[in-house]
Amino acid sequence: MPLIDRRSLMIAGGALTALPFAARAAPGAGTPFSWNIVQQRAAALARQPYRPPTPVAAAAAIDFDAVGAIRFRPDRTLAGGIRLFPLGNGATLPVAINIVEGGRARAVAFSPDLFEAKASVPPGFAGFRIMEAGRESDWLAFLGATYFRAAGSQDQYGLSARAVAIDTGLDGREQFPRFTEFWIEPTGTRHVIYALLDGESVTGACRFTSTHDGGVMQDVSVVLHLRRDIARLGIAPATSMFWYDDRAQRGATDWRPEIHDSDGLAIWTAGGERLWRPLRNPARPTTDSFDATDVRGFGLIQRDRAFDHYQDDGAFYDRRPDLWVEPRGTWGAGEIMLYAFPTTSETVDNVAAFWVPAAPARAGQRLQFDYRLRWTSQDPSADRGARVVDARVGDAGRPGAAAVAGARKLVVDYQGDGLIGLTRDSGVVADLSIAHGRLLASAAYPVVGQRDRWRVTADIAPDPNATADVRLFLRRGAAALGETLLFPLDLT
């Protein structure tokens, strides 16, 4: 997984005033265009040897501060509110950009006059963003490799998506195919974005039908052609940052109580079970997998949205969007993988989640995946039962007494409408199972003064040389009352 410099991306994607849009292409201009044409180009490209792109030499000299000083001229804004990113030392590979109107595509020609800058602007475009009409912000941006981001429902960027992940989490083997050409078709409040993808092991055609109305929704179609066998093919990948929260501040040097873009992975299984796996900043790279055959949905979620938990009035981590993936059609057998590596900074994206098909990814295959992306601040994985709102770890044993050696206490709070009216006499129990560890004691009870909140406490002895995998949910009789917590627990 790459060390994504979030600061550079956020500077490049900063808000500019949206002035009236430039005139559209004249009728009959450009060349014929269709979704089929993009797919045909991807298929033809897969039959050719991979040719590494040539960076623009002048872009390497444009450092972070210089890139931040280059601004696309508001009066040159393209149809549909489109503005273009300049090249710089963090983005030295140009992409071709076309505007589509009436079934015809018109290439956008580079000119330094498109930008306001104190120094020369290297030739070419690094990507683009789409401005909100009449507002001083943008809501969608494509920049770098196959990365893209949306501002969600609170006008705030956070985590990123990618078109595909290749060998993420495999030591030194990850590849980063890139978008080489875009076609953008703005129609009212909807933007259809087509992209040609090229890389060492894969080519592809991508279509993103994007709307912005109280959040951002994208209907995505990705058609891949494999040039080579791929050990780990990641579909619908999301990339985020988790430095620390109030559970663990190892390596934290900042005064803010929490710093993260997402705090958990949510999964909705084919059988209807809701899973919640809190994120963490691991001491070493980790890869976890979860069965996701015919998965209904999954995503990286920012569940904690209390401003005072972050105290950040500049980066606004309480406003960072969730990213929820809903497969279209049947994806079949596969698993969700969660990869994380250590970070000591909020500028590095250190978490990735994606779906991996069970069938081997072999050279010569054509694979198609259709899905919907929802960028929102309303947790789409929540239901009317109960969800995990806190999970904390401390010393095992009775408070005030000596800690139990070789054990830890896990304290989990559930909250939801399904808990209202339940008492200690309602037959609610904590259903716990533990791999690589032993349960010493547990209890489940309503939190005093909270009408819809229950607490589970569990003293657990992990195996000395392994991380205990805890699986927990509240149950009343045979019925689960909400989502299942998946929690890694060790003695550190």
Side-chain angles (χ1 to χ4, degrees):
M1 183 176 172
L3 301 179
I4 301 300
D5 187 336
R6 301 168 50 77
R7 183 177 63 156
S8 298
L9 292 179
M10 292 177 73
I11 289 291
L16 294 176
T17 303
L19 296 184
F21 301 150
R24 294 171 178 253
T31 58
F33 176 80
S34 70
W35 172 225
N36 282 338
I37 289 175
V38 184
Q39 294 182 71
Q40 291 166 8
R41 285 189 56 180
L45 194 60
R47 295 190 290 269
Q48 303 172 14
Y50 174 66
R51 295 181 177 85
T54 302
V56 174
I62 310 297
D63 64 15
F64 171 80
D65 292 329
V67 171
I70 300 174
R71 292 287 187 266
F72 193 86
R73 289 178 50 184
D75 62 321
R76 302 299 293 273
T77 302
L78 305 176
I82 300 162
R83 296 183 182 175
L84 308 178
F85 290 125
L87 296 174
N89 64 354
T92 61
L93 300 175
V95 298
I97 294 179
N98 307 271
I99 303 298
V100 177
E101 189 175 36
R104 303 186 73 82
R106 175 176 57 84
V108 179
F110 173 81
S111 169
D113 294 338
L114 294 172
F115 298 93
E116 297 173 348
K118 296 180 180 179
S120 60
V121 180
F125 306 119
F128 68 92
R129 59 182 174 147
I130 301 176
M131 306 298 296
E132 294 192 21
R135 295 184 62 180
E136 298 182 355
S137 58
D138 52 340
W139 59 272
L140 185 64
F142 284 73
L143 177 63
T146 64
Y147 287 91
F148 58 99
R149 298 193 297 167
S153 52
Q154 292 186 278
D155 195 27
Q156 181 66 55
Y157 282 118
L159 78 173
S160 301
R162 281 190 276 175
V164 66
I166 306 294
D167 292 343
T168 300
L170 299 180
D171 237 5
R173 294 170 58 181
E174 185 167 14
Q175 300 174 19
F176 300 98
R178 57 183 290 266
F179 290 137
T180 60
E181 187 164 4
F182 291 101
W183 297 262
I184 310 168
E185 184 177 16
T187 307
T189 59
R190 185 182 72 172
H191 288 69
V192 185
I193 298 156
Y194 307 86
L196 183 65
L197 179 156
D198 191 23
E200 295 176 54
S201 299
V202 65
T203 70
C206 304
R207 180 178 60 190
F208 308 88
T209 302
S210 308
T211 56
H212 182 30
D213 183 13
V216 177
M217 184 174 71
Q218 294 179 289
D219 287 323
V220 182
S221 184
V222 175
V223 179
L224 300 175
H225 297 270
L226 306 192
R227 280 189 168 117
R228 304 177 183 174
D229 294 352
I230 297 174
R232 181 178 292 168
L233 177 63
I235 304 302
T239 302
S240 192
M241 178 274 296
F242 186 93
W243 186 6
Y244 63 88
D245 64 6
D246 60 352
R247 289 178 296 140
Q249 297 189 354
R250 184 186 68 253
T253 56
D254 197 275
W255 62 269
R256 291 165 291 178
E258 302 188 34
I259 298 179
H260 51 80
D261 276 337
S262 310
D263 54 15
L265 168 66
I267 301 173
W268 189 13
T269 71
E273 186 178 20
R274 299 277 193 173
L275 306 177
W276 177 253
R277 166 59 156 79
L279 298 182
R280 60 177 181 166
N281 183 3
R284 64 189 64 85
T286 60
T287 303
D288 297 294
S289 60
F290 313 91
D291 179 66
T293 295
D294 293 335
V295 64
R296 297 188 186 185
F298 67 95
L300 292 176
I301 307 298
Q302 183 77 317
R303 187 165 280 183
D304 185 347
R305 295 195 170 275
F307 171 81
D308 61 338
H309 291 185
Y310 303 93
Q311 292 293 333
D312 194 316
D313 57 354
F316 296 107
Y317 287 106
D318 57 302
R319 302 180 186 177
R320 299 295 167 113
D322 305 326
L323 179 53
W324 183 247
V325 182
E326 298 174 355
R328 291 291 183 257
T330 301
W331 282 10
E335 57 187 358
I336 302 294
M337 284 197 170
L338 177 65
Y339 172 66
F341 61 85
T343 186
T344 57
S345 168
E346 66 191 290
T347 66
V348 174
D349 283 347
N350 65 318
V351 175
F354 44 87
W355 186 83
V356 179
R362 300 300 190 198
Q365 286 181 319
R366 177 191 183 274
L367 303 172
Q368 179 168 346
F369 297 93
D370 299 305
Y371 52 94
R372 173 169 288 178
L373 297 178
R374 295 184 186 273
W375 307 76
T376 177
S377 296
Q378 296 181 349
D379 184 352
S381 69
D383 57 21
R384 293 182 60 82
R387 62 176 183 160
V388 176
V389 293
D390 270 316
R392 304 174 186 275
V393 176
D395 290 338
R398 182 169 55 84
V404 177
R408 300 290 280 164
K409 184 183 294 291
L410 175 63
V411 180
V412 180
D413 279 11
Y414 280 87
Q415 189 171 27
D417 292 347
L419 300 176
I420 296 175
L422 298 179
T423 70
R424 288 178 180 265
D425 299 323
S426 298
V428 176
V429 298
D431 195 310
L432 278 142
S433 59
I434 304 169
H436 311 297
R438 294 181 296 114
L439 177 64
L440 305 181
S442 69
Y445 52 88
V447 177
V448 175
Q450 304 293 318
R451 62 193 290 267
D452 62 348
R453 192 170 180 126
W454 273 64
R455 178 163 295 167
V456 175
T457 63
D459 285 355
I460 297 169
D463 290 350
N465 299 315
T467 296
D469 293 322
V470 180
R471 185 181 181 91
L472 162 66
F473 62 93
L474 289 176
R475 176 171 54 80
R476 188 184 188 193
L481 295 180
E483 70 184 3
T484 299
L485 172 70
L486 306 176
F487 197 91
L489 183 67
D490 53 36
L491 294 176
T492 59

